[in-house]
Amino acid sequence: MKISDVRIRFVRKDDSKLRAVASITIDDCFVVHDIKVIEGADGPFIAMPSRKTNDGEFKDIAHPLNTETREQLRDAILAAYHEALAEAD
């Protein structure tokens, strides 16, 4: 799997830990939108796109099936996020 493009859109809400929303393109043929970049206690992390169920829980609607793929996505998205932050300053 090759992540061929990562796009970052900053979210400007003072009272929210949500910092940005990312879209990734995989192998130049598949796109996943609405991956959230959230500020956590140990720095930013990603949350995959999800939907709220009738009982109030959130369930991912797209997610990696293994740790290796999750880490690859996380590393690519957070690298693009930090690069975009540096460009914005």
Side-chain angles (χ1 to χ4, degrees):
M1 177 184 84
K2 179 183 169 230
I3 299 172
S4 44
D5 188 36
V6 179
R7 296 178 189 239
I8 301 293
R9 237 184 21 227
F10 289 107
V11 175
R12 308 274 186 223
K13 289 185 180 179
D14 294 333
D15 59 340
S16 175
K17 293 183 184 244
L18 179 64
R19 299 293 183 239
V21 177
S23 295
I24 60 166
T25 304
I26 301 170
D27 293 331
D28 289 319
C29 65
F30 189 81
V31 176
V32 179
H33 295 289
D34 296 330
I35 301 170
K36 296 170 221 54
V37 178
I38 300 169
E39 188 63 41
D42 297 324
F45 65 93
I46 66 167
M48 297 304 292
S50 60
R51 176 174 293 153
K52 192 173 185 177
T53 63
N54 290 336
D55 59 358
E57 289 185 51
F58 285 90
K59 297 286 185 177
D60 287 351
I61 54 176
H63 59 88
L65 294 179
N66 58 53
T67 302
E68 178 184 340
T69 304
R70 180 172 292 281
E71 290 171 353
Q72 186 179 3
L73 290 174
R74 180 198 63 212
D75 293 347
I77 292 167
L78 292 181
Y81 171 71
H82 289 298
E83 187 177 311
L85 273 178
E87 288 176 8
D89 287 342

